Amino acid sequence: MSGRLVTARLTTLARRTALHTPRLYTTHALPAGGLLRNEAGLRLIKRRPWPLGSYALHNLPATRSISFARVVPKLVTKLATAGAAAGGAVIAGVSYIQYQAGQAGSFAIDIFGRAKDGVSTVAGGALDTVNGFFDQIDQGWRKTKDDLEKADYPEWLQKLLATDESGGAGGSNGGGQGPEEPKKSGASTAAAGASTAAAFGYGQEDGEDKQEAEKIARDEQMMMLTKKMIEIRGLLQTVGQSDSLTLPSIVVIGSQSSGKSSVLEAIVGHEFLPKGHNMVTRRPIELTLVNTPDAQAEYGEFPALGLGKVTDFSQIQRTLTDLNLAVPASDCVSDDPIQLRIHSPNVPDLSLIDLPGYIQVVGRDQPPALKERISQLCEKYIRAPNVILAISAADVDLANSTALRASRKVDPRGERTIGVITKMDLVEPERAVSLLNDKKYALRLGYVGVICRVPAGAGGGKLFHRGSGNIQNAIAKNENAYFSSHAEFAPEAQLDVGTSNLKKKLMHVLEQTMAASLKTTSEAIQRELAEATYEFKVQYNERPLSAESYLAESLDGFKHSFRGFTESFGRREVRELLKHELDQQVLNILAQRYWNRPFDDLSSPFPETDPLSSLAKADPEGEDSIWKIKLDSSSAALTKLGVGRLATSVVANALQRNIEYLISNSRFAAHPFARQAITEASTSILKDLSYDISDELEICIKPYKYRIDLEDNEWAKGRENVTAVLKEELKVAEAASKRLEEMMGGRKKVKDVMSFIDRVRSGQVVLEGDGVGGAGGFSQALLSKGREAVFLRDRVDVLKLRILAIKSKQCATRKNKYHCPEVFLDAVADKLTTTADLFLDAELLSKFYYQLPRELDARLGRGLSQDEIDRFAREDPKIKRHLDVVRRKDLLEHVLKEMEGLRQLEAREKRAVSRREERERMKKQGGGWSLF
């Protein structure tokens, strides 16, 4: 039989034995102190079994000398991975140990027998069970022994395998009590001994595995704490306004040539920091690394820019370069930080701040104060409680390290400074070791040596190739190759070297530093929360507010105002608008065709001739025909004016003006974004409606272009209305004439100018040079004003005459419409107005009133993103302050809750550590193996 088959059989038997479930007994009928194996009191029961590891008798825990049911399967499973020959050799080699273990077990049972007779019997029964188990595997062992005897093994092993079965030591049955068991073979004894020894050996392995599991659990706990605290730090950054409201970060400082950027890129695994010949890093970069173990992709985020997930690290590098170069050359550096978050399964949870590198000499194209500004900026960030990561190159003496010199100012004892020695491969190993063990510039957190340069060929033959992906593996291989090839960096030297060790140290130090500041930060948060709560209660009466609720309230308020407007602006208001507009058109037609005295300029002594006037002079009997022609042409001019387009435009413009008025009297008055959205919505709706409605209205009034019939009541109404219109026009003309007199220097001056113009018009005065440059002692400007005064004087006279004519009996009936064109045209305008207002009310107003609220919901409700809603609400300074207070209060409450949870988690971790230390202490005090 092959070794693999033997091992497989052993494994199968072991697993079957481990799965064996013992029967449960009770001894309620036995007297106190009776033996469990007494058949008189033994009976089966069917009830809830006792807990594993205890018996019914006295409810005492049962102690076994050796737990074969647990140990042997694990032993055999281990052996299954080796060859059959090796497995047999191991079992045979420990055969003697089994015999000694059996004797030790008997001795232990005797000790227990003196204490409790019943427990002694239990222990003996346990050993019987073990011996029975080895009876089952004895046959398999014999075959294995035969196979092993045929193999060529050392002499000592051959002798052991040749031991006669009668020479084997028999196992004791419960410490000498009970009948003797038949003697076992040496191989069987070896197997039992191997199992016994393995029980103790693997028990020790179990302890080591447990310690390793506890260590892994502690590391995971630490990572979880760090991740949670970094999240809280991000929340505190959004709260801001206080230096106390923050958790520590790791601030990276160093000179421009120290390899500072290379260290950060080695931790991240990508080239992403700005590069350039001149000073490129001009702003602090707050770098938050987030470990995402289940993620497949690596990406970065700029929270303040809203660029989303950027998976191309070269794009991240370009963005950082642009943000840094945006700082004016005159300033060179700025304390406005750039926030960058990188999510990757290859990075630890860390909070880092990269600062501009120190310089020694200011360039000609740089401000003289640049060196001092960089020092001030770095000093601001390296204050407590932040951890300082001081980067120094190995080829530069630590005495000349700018980073260490700066850290000594704020951390003279070196308690929160980690030294990083870069470019370790550029110096001799002895020199590198002396730097890591430096005592002259000792740091409590020590030094870490790294080689962050990517070797040639790792990135396409260059130091780094952007298409080569993550460079962590290349850096790790390069570091391992260098440090393992020099005995000075052997593990016995206990030196911190390599980027991986740097990551671990940074995580550990950051977690401890953050945990140490939890209490003070919690107290600061409580103070800030008390202030925010007080302000929220006193200034805003604890009225909750959010950007969404403010937008909804504002929109509802505007809709309510718009609903009120729709009730006050209907057909009657439309009729008034249209009638007023058509009245003005009627006045223009009357002025052009009836009232005006045509003349050109002052150089022409004769007025322009009127063709109809010459016709009347030639045929006095045709005067009625002339008035008829004038009225018909005037009526045609009115009806063919384009009333559909005119009326629609007038009403649409009125609606738009009212919408703007509603906006100016609503909350939206302080919000340019919303104001523009509402204006665009109303304009768009009116434009779409007006195009079709104007054409349809023209079709409705088309019959009036060919025939207009008036009733007596319509004539009377027109007579009354036109009288009011002419009186209003008369008032306007008189007011304009009075204003003109004041502008020309008084009534006397106006009379003199108008008298001169009248003489010119009548031909009494002849102008020289066409009146350019003035005439009659009056300037050209004064003559121009004089003509306006003459026009207004004539218009006032005509209006007075026409008002008297309309009030006369001649204009009382519609039969004399040709002598009263004002009344007839007004009646026509009234008919057009009636048709237009009826159509516009049904088509334009009703549709506009229906569509606008729904369009506002789409533009200012569902159509806005969260950022747009926030931006809208913060356009109002008062609302912005209210929202800031509410948001600050809510954030502080959330952060405080998270902090309390962290403190409780940390307290539980400390208690667990204390318990482990107490167990170790008690174990050391007890000494040896515990029998219980």
Side-chain angles (χ1 to χ4, degrees), residues 869-916:
I869 294 175
D870 293 337
R871 186 169 63 252
F872 158 79
R874 294 181 177 277
E875 288 176 344
D876 189 337
K878 295 181 180 179
I879 300 301
K880 180 178 181 298
R881 177 59 184 167
H882 192 169
L883 289 175
D884 288 341
V885 172
V886 174
R887 180 172 177 269
R888 182 178 178 82
K889 175 178 172 294
D890 294 342
L891 274 176
L892 288 172
E893 290 176 348
H894 175 67
V895 171
L896 186 61
K897 183 178 179 182
E898 295 291 334
M899 294 283 285
E900 291 299 326
L902 273 181
R903 294 185 65 181
Q904 293 177 5
L905 190 63
E906 185 188 17
R908 287 197 299 269
E909 178 64 18
K910 288 182 178 179
R911 289 195 296 269
V913 172
S914 300
R915 287 195 296 268
R916 288 193 295 267

Side-chain angles (χ1 to χ4, degrees), residues 58 68 92 130 132 136 256 263 471 481 518 549 646 733 795 834 855 866:
H58 304 147
F68 291 95
V130 174
Q136 296 178 13
Q256 290 188 0
V263 172
I471 61 174
L518 282 179
S549 64
L646 176 64
R795 176 59 59 90
T834 302
E855 185 68 18
Q866 185 61 44

Side-chain angles (χ1 to χ4, degrees), residues 240-247 380 383-385 521 524 528:
Q241 297 182 0
S242 176
D243 293 337
S244 59
L245 289 183
T246 184
L247 285 173
K380 173 184 175 182
R383 295 172 184 170
T521 306
E528 294 285 342

Side-chain angles (χ1 to χ4, degrees), residues 401-684:
S401 173
T402 312
L404 289 178
R405 189 183 309 119
S407 66
R408 281 295 178 92
K409 294 181 180 179
V410 295
D411 184 29
R413 301 175 60 181
E415 294 183 348
R416 53 185 183 88
T417 302
I418 302 175
V420 177
I421 309 299
T422 61
K423 308 177 183 179
M424 294 281 287
D425 55 340
L426 299 184
V427 297
E428 295 297 328
E430 295 80 5
R431 168 64 178 166
V433 171
S434 66
L435 292 175
L436 297 178
N437 292 324
D438 189 88
K439 301 301 181 183
K440 187 175 182 180
Y441 304 96
L443 301 175
R444 186 178 67 85
L445 300 177
Y447 291 87
V448 181
V450 295
I451 304 174
C452 297
R453 179 180 60 85
V454 180
K462 300 180 181 179
L463 289 183
F464 179 71
H465 182 63
R466 289 177 180 173
S468 61
N470 198 295
I471 61 174
Q472 286 181 342
N473 293 333
I475 292 177
K477 289 180 180 179
N478 186 40
E479 288 181 328
N480 292 336
Y482 178 80
F483 292 127
S484 61
S485 62
H486 296 85
E488 291 83 357
F489 303 106
E492 306 85 58
Q494 297 182 353
L495 298 175
D496 283 338
V497 292
T499 306
S500 60
N501 286 333
L502 176 61
K503 292 180 183 179
K504 295 177 182 178
K505 180 181 284 289
L506 293 179
M507 292 177 60
H508 180 70
V509 172
L510 183 61
E511 188 271 338
Q512 287 186 334
T513 309
M514 284 186 168
S517 63
L518 282 179
K519 182 178 180 181
T520 56
T521 306
S522 297
E523 294 174 353
I525 292 175
Q526 291 174 355
R527 290 193 298 269
E528 294 285 342
L529 179 59
E531 294 177 2
T533 304
Y534 178 78
E535 182 179 3
F536 181 63
K537 181 178 181 180
V538 173
Q539 294 191 10
Y540 304 103
N541 198 24
E542 296 184 342
R543 182 172 68 90
L545 182 68
S546 64
E548 294 83 357
S549 64
Y550 175 70
L551 175 60
E553 291 176 4
S554 302
L555 191 57
D556 290 342
F558 182 81
K559 287 184 188 178
H560 181 73
S561 301
F562 179 73
R563 189 178 299 111
F565 163 73
T566 60
E567 296 174 356
S568 62
F569 191 87
R571 182 182 177 186
R572 183 172 62 86
E573 289 72 26
V574 171
R575 179 179 178 80
E576 292 178 356
L577 285 173
L578 296 180
K579 189 62 173 66
H580 179 268
E581 184 64 28
L582 290 179
D583 285 344
Q584 298 302 314
Q585 297 297 328
V586 169
L587 290 176
N588 292 336
I589 293 174
L590 289 172
Q592 292 173 1
R593 299 180 182 273
Y594 292 95
W595 299 344
N596 289 349
R597 292 181 58 185
F599 63 93
D600 54 16
D601 55 22
L602 294 177
S603 63
S604 176
F606 303 102
E608 293 180 351
T609 59
D610 186 354
L612 294 179
S613 299
S614 61
L615 179 62
K617 292 179 180 180
D619 186 10
E621 296 180 357
E623 185 176 357
D624 291 341
S625 299
I626 294 172
W627 289 112
K628 182 178 180 180
I629 294 173
K630 277 193 173 186
L631 184 61
D632 290 342
S633 63
S634 299
S635 176
L638 181 61
T639 56
K640 296 178 181 180
L641 185 65
V643 176
R645 182 175 63 256
L646 176 64
T648 305
S649 300
V650 169
V651 177
N653 292 336
L655 290 173
Q656 189 64 41
R657 288 194 303 270
N658 281 277
I659 292 298
E660 293 176 356
Y661 174 79
L662 292 177
I663 295 174
S664 62
N665 289 275
S666 68
R667 288 183 177 179
F668 294 131
H671 301 281
F673 171 77
R675 187 171 192 141
Q676 181 181 1
I678 297 174
T679 302
E680 290 178 352
S682 61
T683 303
S684 175

